[in-house]
Amino acid sequence: MDHDDSCNAVQCIDGSGKDIKSSEKIPGGEKQNLPEEPTLSEGCAPSKPKSAKKQKTTEEESTTKEKIGNAQQINKEQNKSKTNTNPTNRQISNASAHYMSDDDDNENNSNNKSFARITRSSLFSSKLSIRFDDSDEEENSSYTSWAQRDIAEYRNGYPDVRQYPQIKDNYKFYANKMPSFPHGDYIDNIHDKWFGDYHRLEIHHGYIQWLFPLQEKGLNFSAEPLQKHEIELIKNDMKALKRILTSYILMLDFYGFELVNEKTGEIRRLPNDNYKSRFRNLNTSSHNYLRITRILKCLGEFDYEHLKFPFLEQILRESITENTLPNCLRSCKDYWIETLKSRDERRAIRFYARELIDYQKKGIKPPQSHCAVRPTTSATKKPKQSPSKTMKQRNDSD
């Protein structure tokens, strides 16, 4: 099952993280007697108000009128959308239209700004209650039973997935020999023409499986699952491998970031205030969280595992310290961190998250120089320096 296409309900959460129950009892309520409430004498039945039937009928009529009014309003809005003669816009679903409303077009909408402030405020206490435990077996989440099974298959290289030697669509796509489907293009054209086209990247839901293929079957039936022999073909084709990095840069820009260093994976906000509208979109469009899970998994299938740790570090800083992406924190904890193949890296990034939360609880901001300490592992791909020598340098610097 493809995590990107089938788990919208899993990762979408409310602001408080708890269900609101109207039946909640007031402390001490059971022991209090209301003296003003008269007690009926034995054998006397309460008299039924004469207007009860009439009142019930009136309530039913008002409810019916309300439903009819809502239906008429919905039909009126749907008729307005049908008047658009643009063929591209006619294909956009109501859900896509909602995503579009969170983008740059409504940047100056005061209602949207108010919603963003309310969301961040309501998530503050919930954010601080999220626990980043070190254990890989016991996670504080209602989603972990599914997530652990899914991530275990990924970390183990999908050992039970059946291979089809005749399938080479993903390699041909990254070799720029075939376009993506549906309504796609060749990879070089996507990198050139789609970069910065935030509207298209938001509402088009068929390209992500091509740009970041996985050894899982998704809901885009035009995209084949990634085959193990395709992974080797792409790794041995330097141009194809470089295109995967370019795809990552494309999506970083869409989310409001830019890649600073290809070797270390360091990222930062887009310059000036260009990141703000992108952050608002990312903070309110949860389907992008599913895309990010896919992106991180795909990077790990090739030679880009080292890009994950700096990405997660930046997301945690924005979510906890800067409070610009608070809605991302749950997905970051439950899914994105879990895509790290190194247990030491997972523990290091969780420790960093706990540090940021501690700073936040104390009401102080961590120093600019404060960053996550990345353990030196084989996943960092630093052949020029041996792990033992690097560890020695770290100990000397400490």
Side-chain angles (χ1 to χ4, degrees):
M1 178 182 288
D2 181 15
H3 173 67
D4 180 43
D5 300 297
S6 62
C7 302
N8 273 309
V10 172
Q11 291 196 42
C12 296
I13 63 171
D14 60 11
S16 65
K18 297 180 181 179
D19 294 333
I20 300 175
K21 299 183 179 180
S22 59
S23 61
E24 205 166 9
K25 296 182 179 180
I26 301 174
E30 297 177 353
K31 298 180 180 180
Q32 294 180 354
N33 293 323
L34 300 178
E36 68 273 16
E37 194 171 306
T39 304
L40 295 175
S41 58
E42 269 188 325
C44 296
S47 59
K48 195 172 184 179
K50 296 180 180 180
S51 61
K53 185 175 181 180
K54 184 177 180 181
Q55 183 180 1
K56 184 177 180 181
T57 304
T58 305
E59 290 176 355
E60 291 177 351
E61 289 176 354
S62 61
T63 303
T64 304
K65 289 181 180 178
E66 183 179 355
K67 291 181 179 179
I68 294 174
N70 291 338
Q72 290 175 348
Q73 180 66 21
I74 293 172
N75 291 333
K76 190 181 297 182
E77 292 176 358
Q78 291 176 348
N79 291 332
K80 286 183 180 179
S81 64
K82 290 179 181 179
T83 59
N84 193 335
T85 57
N86 190 325
T88 303
N89 291 338
R90 284 202 299 267
Q91 297 175 2
I92 300 174
S93 63
N94 291 335
S96 298
H98 169 71
Y99 297 141
M100 290 164 54
S101 67
D102 292 327
D103 210 338
D104 304 275
D105 297 336
N106 290 339
E107 182 177 346
N108 298 322
N109 190 316
S110 59
N111 292 333
N112 287 346
K113 291 183 178 180
S114 175
F115 173 79
R117 288 196 298 270
I118 293 172
T119 301
R120 292 177 186 178
S121 175
S122 61
L123 281 176
F124 181 77
S125 59
S126 175
K127 175 177 65 178
L128 297 183
S129 66
I130 296 178
R131 296 176 55 188
F132 288 81
D133 297 328
D134 280 333
S135 174
D136 288 321
E137 288 76 26
E138 297 178 4
E139 295 290 341
N140 182 28
S141 171
S142 59
Y143 318 129
T144 50
S145 59
W146 183 92
Q148 286 178 349
R149 290 195 301 270
D150 174 75
I151 211 65
E153 292 184 9
Y154 165 72
R155 289 181 195 159
N156 294 328
Y158 299 94
D160 301 326
V161 172
R162 184 177 178 182
Q163 298 299 304
Y164 298 90
Q166 73 277 11
I167 294 179
K168 294 183 180 180
D169 286 4
N170 294 293
Y171 171 68
K172 289 179 181 178
F173 172 70
Y174 262 103
N176 206 41
K177 295 180 179 179
M178 71 172 291
S180 60
F181 296 97
H183 312 299
D185 207 334
Y186 288 89
I187 183 64
D188 285 348
N189 290 337
I190 291 176
H191 289 161
D192 181 45
K193 299 178 181 179
W194 294 28
F195 189 91
D197 190 349
Y198 302 142
H199 174 83
R200 185 191 304 204
L201 293 173
E202 179 66 35
I203 67 172
H204 194 305
H205 296 284
Y207 69 90
I208 199 72
Q209 292 87 357
W210 288 90
L211 261 60
F212 302 97
L214 297 177
Q215 298 183 59
E216 307 172 7
K217 184 63 179 176
L219 293 181
N220 181 358
F221 298 107
S222 299
E224 294 287 353
L226 181 65
Q227 305 295 307
K228 286 181 169 57
H229 63 270
E230 289 184 302
I231 297 176
E232 297 304 318
L233 287 172
I234 293 175
K235 283 183 177 181
N236 294 327
D237 186 334
M238 296 309 297
K239 289 184 177 180
L241 188 62
K242 182 72 174 179
R243 289 184 179 110
I244 291 181
L245 178 63
T246 307
S247 295
Y248 176 60
I249 294 173
L250 170 75
M251 297 307 294
L252 279 179
D253 176 78
F254 175 61
Y255 295 136
F257 301 103
E258 63 179 0
L259 184 63
V260 179
N261 191 313
E262 294 181 7
K263 293 183 179 179
T264 64
E266 179 188 356
I267 66 172
R268 66 188 174 198
R269 294 174 176 178
L270 291 177
N272 303 321
D273 290 338
N274 298 333
Y275 72 92
K276 290 184 177 180
S277 62
R278 307 316 314 148
F279 277 18
R280 281 197 295 272
N281 184 70
L282 179 58
N283 196 52
T284 55
S285 301
S286 60
H287 73 109
N288 281 299
Y289 307 163
L290 310 174
R291 289 176 171 182
I292 290 174
T293 305
R294 169 177 280 272
I295 291 169
L296 295 175
K297 282 183 175 182
C298 180
L299 293 176
E301 295 285 22
F302 299 95
D303 294 334
Y304 298 116
E305 177 72 19
H306 68 284
L307 299 177
K308 298 180 184 179
F309 193 91
F311 174 83
L312 296 170
E313 180 181 1
Q314 184 70 25
I315 290 292
L316 289 172
R317 187 182 303 114
E318 296 291 349
S319 300
I320 300 172
T321 303
E322 303 298 334
N323 203 31
T324 52
L325 297 172
N327 292 343
C328 293
L329 193 60
R330 173 62 69 177
S331 292
C332 184
K333 184 254 179 188
D334 284 338
Y335 297 96
W336 304 344
I337 290 176
E338 298 307 310
T339 66
L340 292 170
K341 294 183 178 181
S342 167
R343 174 176 289 186
D344 291 338
E345 287 193 352
R346 293 195 298 273
R347 291 181 173 179
I349 201 66
R350 290 184 193 126
F351 180 77
Y352 177 67
R354 292 197 299 271
E355 286 183 320
L356 295 182
I357 291 176
D358 288 341
Y359 274 112
Q360 192 75 357
K361 287 180 177 179
K362 294 175 183 177
I364 57 178
K365 202 169 185 177
Q368 283 293 105
S369 59
H370 183 72
C371 60
V373 179
R374 184 175 191 170
T376 303
T377 63
S378 58
T380 57
K381 300 289 183 182
K382 294 183 179 179
K384 295 183 180 180
Q385 198 171 21
S386 64
S388 58
K389 185 176 180 181
T390 306
M391 288 299 294
K392 184 179 179 181
Q393 290 178 353
R394 283 187 61 198
N395 293 334
D396 293 340
S397 63
D398 292 338

